[in-house]
Amino acid sequence: MNLKNKLLFVIRLLTYYIFYTTVRININYLTMLDKLSILGNGSSALLSALNFSRLGIPIDLFFDISKKNDSNLVTFLSYFSLKYLSDIGIDQLSDQKYETINDIECCYINKRSNKRTDLRFKDHKIKPLGKIIPNNDLYNFLLLKVKDTKNISIIEDDISDINLDEGNAIVNLSSGKSYHTKLVIFTDSKNKFIHNFDKTDYIQKSFGQTALSIDANVKRSSQNKAYQFFTKDGPLALLPVNHQRCSFVWSLKDNSEILKYSKEQIENEIYKYTHNYIDEFAVHSINKHKLVFSFSKSMTHKNIIMLGESAHTVHPIAGQGFNLTLKDISTLYNVLHKYLSLGYDLNHNFIFNDFYKQRMADNTLFSFSTMFMSDAFISKNNFINKSIETSFKILDRAPFIKKKIMKFASGREIL
Amino acid sequence: MEHSSINPQEVKKFTELANEWWKPNGKFKTLHKFNPSRLDFIIRNIKLNFSISNNIKQRPLEGLSILDIGCGGGLLCEPLSRLGANVTGIDASKQNIEAASIHAKNNNLNINYIHTTVEELDIKGSFDTILNMEVVEHVNNQKVFIKRSCELLNKNGLIFVATLNKTLFSLIFAKYTAEYILNFLPRGTHDWNKFLTPEEVYSFLIQNNCEVIESAGINFNPLLNSWNESKSMKANFIVTGKKN
């Protein structure tokens, strides 16, 4: 080998070395990235991705766009939720096409005597309480925003498995691809992986009820008001979306005859309770949803945090399901922001502990109180009926307590 | 030896505990709980002094050089490195440095750990920030220790000194209650005679051309089981000095 060849050999060796070390450094850098993974297929997953993307970290959103939910369900978004969504750039909800809810009127009908007792939540200083938004509209607004957000990658492939070890999690896809992450967030109660974890931490039971969600065109004389009728068959909510459109949600026992009724019969049944408040109405669509209660006692498992419906599915009686989810998301955002600003890792146990401490009490209170309420309002026991009647009467004459409840329901207590 | 700050018995004590550093419920659990409050104080002061915005950014401390003296297992070095700072951690215990190095490597962090003392530190250049956190009460010659620390500091750089106040309160609560009743710390961790008053720390810093710009207490709230920054400096306190 002459001198020229020797020199060329050394240069080639050096080039290989530089190339190899640079590529290796880049690979190391990529695997070092603090990635956060979100699993879910609903608005909660989209909202979580949008929120946590504000932390400036890359988000892998495992989300199947084709599984879009076409139900006619609506969501009550409290004043706090609307403000929070507006702050993260979801401005469409302030649109006039969604009616603001300022008052709520509850009407309890005694199961034995058919006697009515009314309870009105109205305070001109606490308004608006919120808005009723169709789930599909909310989903579309959020999806549009997520697609526009640079640090969110949507991964649509099916997940085959999730491996958890001490520091990291690996999300394996059916396609054979794997995604490494430090923190996995579950947002969806339909997530099959929840049940792979410690079952003793997860309570799941049927309410023994089915909700009818009814989308209708309605003419009303009174605006900005939602109604809840506690009928002998179960609670029926009249939820105005806008001046022409309303949603009715009727929670019925699984063995209720009404579930077998035709569209016209259901219209007649609803009209019996609502004729004083609506002039005309025509039902567009009726969906049925089995009501299931689920509650995670830990809200966390190794590198996983469960929020929203993956941690708690509550009865729709108080209309607080999505607002609870939003409180979970906003709390987790604050906890992550605090610890990431202090240089902690995404999977540090402080993050899991603080999130649990800050959300557990509120979630427990809402989950179990709504379960208790749903049982009480559907009960035919005379003592319970009388007790509810008396409570309604006392509460209607206690403006201070009503004010507190309104502040709580609208989220003003936490603003 | 009289000018050396190192206390061999203290080094031996911490060497025996080296494997405990990163166990959240181990013998240093109190230090873990305490860490967010002191990190918050340090990062806030650094951001103010070096005009770093509070906006969310991946590596806000990028470009800053930080020396952590008596770094132990690296409880402060790692978060600061993750925030982008160029961190050097030194400790007189070889086992501490080994424990810190292994943990940093497992977490893909590039921290320069050196088994040395501040007097023997052989390093070119100086630092933008120096941390003397809960270490000054474990050295022999505190004046020499702070003098040497200040010598390693860049002009307009920051030095943080955290220690325990020499008060009756700290003797009862930070020494006896914490070590013998609540088991927050291993018994014999602290010698009350080596505690310093805030005025003594201020005086050491001023003598070494450093202006005191902030000081605060970090106190335990037994109801919330948490450590929080407070105005009361009766026990744990932290002082920031800025080199002129």
Side-chain angles (χ1 to χ4, degrees), chain A residues 299-350:
Chain A
M299 294 186 82
T300 64
H301 178 82
K302 290 190 178 173
N303 309 41
I304 294 173
I305 286 181
M306 286 177 261
L307 56 78
E309 289 202 342
S310 70
H312 43 75
T313 46
V314 297
H315 196 282
I317 193 165
Q320 288 296 325
F322 193 75
N323 299 316
L324 271 189
T325 299
L326 200 57
K327 283 197 251 178
D328 284 349
I329 295 172
S330 109
T331 303
L332 184 56
Y333 172 83
N334 292 337
V335 171
L336 285 170
H337 183 263
K338 175 184 168 185
Y339 287 108
L340 295 184
S341 306
L342 295 178
Y344 282 95
D345 230 345
L346 265 175
N347 54 3
H348 199 280
N349 65 331
F350 284 159

Side-chain angles (χ1 to χ4, degrees), chain B residues 20-79:
Chain B
E20 291 287 318
W21 280 107
W22 287 98
K23 292 177 185 167
N25 294 314
K27 290 184 176 163
F28 292 108
K29 67 178 177 196
T30 306
L31 214 48
H32 280 277
K33 280 190 175 178
F34 188 61
N35 222 23
S37 296
R38 57 184 191 160
L39 268 169
D40 186 48
F41 182 90
I42 293 165
I43 294 165
R44 192 180 68 231
N45 274 274
I46 289 178
K47 283 186 173 175
L48 270 173
N49 188 60
F50 297 102
S51 307
I52 298 167
S53 99
N54 254 331
N55 293 344
I56 294 169
K57 201 179 151 193
Q58 277 281 345
R59 293 164 69 82
L61 306 187
E62 191 102 64
L64 278 183
S65 57
I66 298 179
L67 172 68
D68 184 3
I69 301 169
C71 62
L75 298 190
L76 287 167
C77 295
E78 288 202 8

Side-chain angles (χ1 to χ4, degrees), chain A residues 185-197:
Chain A
I185 294 171
F186 285 179
T187 62
D188 193 341
S189 62
K190 294 183 185 94
N191 186 326
K192 62 184 177 190
F193 300 103
I194 292 176
H195 307 290
N196 293 350
F197 308 128

Side-chain angles (χ1 to χ4, degrees), chain B residues 85-105:
Chain B
N86 188 8
V87 183
T88 301
I90 64 167
D91 202 286
S93 156
K94 196 178 174 189
Q95 277 76 2
N96 281 352
I97 289 296
E98 277 170 8
S101 302
I102 292 165
H103 198 269
K105 196 181 168 199

Side-chain angles (χ1 to χ4, degrees), chain A residues 95-142:
Chain A
D95 200 313
Q96 291 299 314
K97 78 174 186 182
Y98 302 113
E99 190 174 322
T100 53
I101 306 297
N102 296 335
D103 313 333
I104 295 175
E105 205 166 305
C106 299
C107 167
Y108 182 71
I109 298 148
N110 191 303
K111 309 280 182 301
R112 288 177 180 237
S113 62
N114 265 343
K115 193 180 147 200
R116 285 178 54 131
T117 313
D118 291 328
L119 170 62
R120 290 177 193 86
F121 291 95
K122 185 180 180 179
D123 190 320
H124 70 277
K125 286 181 188 161
I126 310 169
K127 68 178 188 182
L129 296 175
K131 285 184 177 189
I132 310 289
I133 309 287
N135 283 11
N136 280 341
D137 288 9
L138 182 63
Y139 176 96
N140 290 332
F141 298 147
L142 292 167

Side-chain angles (χ1 to χ4, degrees), chain A residues 212 233 250 252-262 265-266 269 288:
Chain A
L212 284 183
D233 298 292
W250 203 351
L252 300 159
K253 279 194 173 172
D254 283 341
N255 57 5
S256 169
E257 284 299 309
I258 298 171
L259 289 170
K260 296 172 194 158
Y261 282 6
S262 67
Q265 284 174 304
I266 289 175
E269 273 305 310
K288 288 176 189 170

Side-chain angles (χ1 to χ4, degrees), chain B residues 3-14:
Chain B
H3 292 299
S4 169
S5 61
I6 289 303
N7 181 334
Q9 282 170 330
E10 295 283 331
V11 175
K12 187 171 175 278
K13 189 163 68 190
F14 282 96

Side-chain angles (χ1 to χ4, degrees), chain A residues 180-393:
Chain A
H180 291 248
T181 183
K182 291 199 167 171
L183 175 63
V184 183
I185 294 171
F186 285 179
T187 62
D188 193 341
S189 62
K190 294 183 185 94
N191 186 326
K192 62 184 177 190
F193 300 103
I194 292 176
H195 307 290
N196 293 350
F197 308 128
D198 189 6
K199 289 188 178 99
T200 56
D201 269 358
Y202 209 75
I203 305 168
Q204 195 165 35
K205 73 171 200 118
S206 170
F207 279 110
Q209 294 176 32
T210 299
L212 284 183
S213 86
I214 299 151
D215 186 34
N217 264 13
V218 177
K219 273 192 181 174
R220 287 169 294 138
S221 50
S222 146
Q223 306 292 334
N224 308 108
K225 197 186 262 189
Y227 299 88
Q228 178 90 277
F229 305 94
F230 296 97
T231 74
K232 65 180 187 333
D233 298 292
L236 164 69
L238 190 169
L239 308 163
V241 175
N242 55 40
H243 297 324
Q244 290 87 36
R245 191 177 161 194
C246 269
S247 178
F248 295 92
V249 179
W250 203 351
S251 305
L252 300 159
K253 279 194 173 172
D254 283 341
N255 57 5
S256 169
E257 284 299 309
I258 298 171
L259 289 170
K260 296 172 194 158
Y261 282 6
S262 67
K263 188 174 140 184
E264 287 72 26
Q265 284 174 304
I266 289 175
E267 272 181 359
N268 290 337
E269 273 305 310
I270 290 177
Y271 200 65
K272 267 195 224 167
Y273 298 105
T274 60
H275 64 273
N276 286 342
Y277 312 96
I278 58 178
D279 303 323
E280 286 173 35
F281 89 110
V283 169
H284 277 305
S285 64
I286 302 172
N287 288 166
K288 288 176 189 170
H289 309 270
K290 197 105 176 82
L291 297 179
V292 176
F293 174 83
S294 66
F295 184 79
S296 164
K297 287 191 239 170
S298 61
M299 294 186 82
T300 64
H301 178 82
K302 290 190 178 173
N303 309 41
I304 294 173
I305 286 181
M306 286 177 261
L307 56 78
E309 289 202 342
S310 70
H312 43 75
T313 46
V314 297
H315 196 282
I317 193 165
Q320 288 296 325
F322 193 75
N323 299 316
L324 271 189
T325 299
L326 200 57
K327 283 197 251 178
D328 284 349
I329 295 172
S330 109
T331 303
L332 184 56
Y333 172 83
N334 292 337
V335 171
L336 285 170
H337 183 263
K338 175 184 168 185
Y339 287 108
L340 295 184
S341 306
L342 295 178
Y344 282 95
D345 230 345
L346 265 175
N347 54 3
H348 199 280
N349 65 331
F350 284 159
I351 291 171
F352 295 84
N353 292 345
D354 272 25
F355 174 69
Y356 173 82
K357 272 188 207 164
Q358 290 182 42
R359 287 302 307 145
M360 203 49 187
D362 194 38
N363 284 338
T364 310
L365 178 74
F366 265 100
S367 298
F368 289 94
S369 61
T370 48
M371 185 164 74
F372 169 76
M373 274 163 66
S374 76
D375 285 345
F377 283 117
I378 218 155
S379 167
K380 289 194 167 71
N381 181 297
N382 199 30
F383 174 73
I384 294 174
N385 285 343
K386 283 277 176 203
S387 304
I388 294 173
E389 262 179 20
T390 315
S391 309
F392 267 46
K393 281 175 191 164

